[in-house]
Amino acid sequence: MRNLREALKTREALAPDPDAVLAGAHGRIRRRRAQRRIAGAAAAVAVVIAGVAAGMTVLRPSDEPESIEAAAGAADLPLPAPALPFTVGDLPSGFELSTWTVSGSFASGRYNGSSGNYLEISVSDYPDREVGESGMVTDLAGGGTQAKVRIAPDRVVSVLTKTWQIPDISVLRIARSVRLVPTPVHSMLRSLRAPADLTVRQWSGGTEYEYLTLCPPEVQTQSPARPDGRCYSVSVAGPVPATTTRATTSTSVPAPLITVKTVRRILDGGTVLMVDTEDGEQAVVEAIAASAVAG
């Protein structure tokens, strides 16, 4: 036992200082914590970078160029095909729809027959309460006849023709046969897209032309009758000579102090497409034009 005590006293002087041991241990702990924080931050940055890269791959695949739709943030909704909001149940034989117009609560169609005969049939809001369900016929100056019939509380049908073409009773019968059932009409465009906040205010068409106006919500409904610079106009015309340039983008000045942003395209079959605006965005004009597909 005495020998053990002597051995312990002899080695006591060789033992390290406890304060120094603790200080060293704390230093190592701090260094290891710092290393873990740096490694964790690096891993987090790597995860974020990987996530961003994956997101960019989804939004814009590397093997596809950035589309004009993405650049403009524009042509994101297809426009519904045009249609007259009514159907004529008793249309005379030989008469066919040649031109049509839909604008708000007004819609009309011109039906051509043989030898220059025609019928102009329209449905609209009509404030004259004298027009009832039984209808009325009026002789117009210049040799025309017009029949009107109220087919709904807020809808009146009008049938206009030449006096010598169809008897008055027949014109009235045609007006009474009109029903508020949509009739699809031929469009020169198979597909057209536009920004979600633009709505069609007017759409007119025929065998060789088509015209529509797209307006943002801040434009009053009746404004298309007076062109509003914030709206976008789209026109389609029949084939042009093959020498015509297939696509151009330009800024022209058709009248003093009025700058029009325009895109012109030649679609399949030689159909000419024009999209323009005064106060709208050039990117939207380009996106609408790029989305058009000939019918």
Side-chain angles (χ1 to χ4, degrees):
M1 181 63 68
R2 187 175 56 194
N3 292 336
L4 179 59
R5 290 195 187 96
E6 291 177 354
L8 292 175
K9 286 181 179 181
T10 302
R11 294 179 178 275
E12 182 177 3
L14 301 176
D17 184 3
D19 294 335
V21 171
L22 289 175
H26 285 305
R28 286 192 296 274
I29 291 172
R30 285 194 298 271
R31 285 195 297 274
R32 288 175 182 173
R33 286 178 177 174
Q35 290 171 354
R36 283 197 295 269
R37 284 196 300 269
I38 293 173
V45 170
V47 170
V48 170
I49 293 175
V52 171
M56 291 178 67
T57 301
V58 171
L59 294 175
R60 191 175 60 199
S62 58
D63 58 346
E64 294 182 8
E66 184 175 4
S67 67
I68 192 169
E69 296 180 11
D76 49 8
L77 282 181
L79 295 179
L84 283 173
F86 62 84
T87 297
V88 184
D90 194 7
L91 189 66
S93 176
F95 283 81
E96 294 183 356
L97 181 67
S98 60
T99 61
W100 49 268
T101 295
V102 178
S103 179
S105 60
F106 174 83
S108 70
R110 181 185 176 96
Y111 300 80
N112 288 342
S114 60
S115 303
N117 296 332
Y118 69 91
L119 288 169
E120 291 280 355
I121 302 177
S122 64
V123 174
S124 65
D125 292 344
Y126 197 75
D128 190 349
R129 297 302 173 184
E130 293 182 3
V131 180
E133 296 180 0
S134 59
M136 57 186 295
V137 178
T138 305
D139 292 332
L140 304 177
T145 298
Q146 185 178 39
K148 293 181 180 180
V149 176
R150 186 173 299 278
I151 60 173
D154 59 347
R155 290 291 184 272
V156 169
V157 174
S158 170
V159 178
L160 177 66
T161 187
K162 297 177 182 178
T163 303
W164 61 87
Q165 180 181 334
I166 301 175
D168 292 355
I169 188 62
S170 298
V171 176
L172 191 58
R173 186 178 66 247
I174 294 171
R176 290 172 178 170
S177 74
V178 174
R179 297 290 180 268
L180 296 178
V181 177
T183 299
V185 295
H186 171 72
S187 174
M188 298 177 71
L189 294 173
R190 186 171 76 248
S191 177
L192 187 69
R193 301 175 71 88
D197 62 340
L198 295 181
T199 57
V200 177
R201 297 295 177 83
Q202 179 177 338
W203 201 330
S204 301
T207 55
E208 297 181 354
Y209 81 95
E210 202 160 330
Y211 177 83
L212 62 147
T213 303
L214 299 162
C215 297
E218 59 267 22
V219 176
Q220 297 298 318
T221 303
Q222 58 269 31
S223 291
R226 308 184 306 276
D228 191 297
R230 295 168 291 181
C231 297
Y232 298 81
S233 298
V234 181
S235 62
V236 188
V240 297
T243 56
T244 303
T245 304
R246 297 198 62 83
T248 59
T249 301
S250 64
T251 300
S252 58
V253 183
L257 303 179
I258 298 179
T259 300
V260 179
K261 308 175 184 74
T262 304
V263 170
R264 182 176 185 271
R265 287 184 58 201
I266 307 299
L267 306 179
D268 293 343
T271 302
V272 182
L273 173 79
M274 292 280 291
V275 183
D276 61 71
T277 185
E278 291 180 17
D279 302 326
E281 300 178 11
Q282 178 70 39
V284 175
V285 172
E286 295 174 0
I288 294 173
S291 73
V293 179

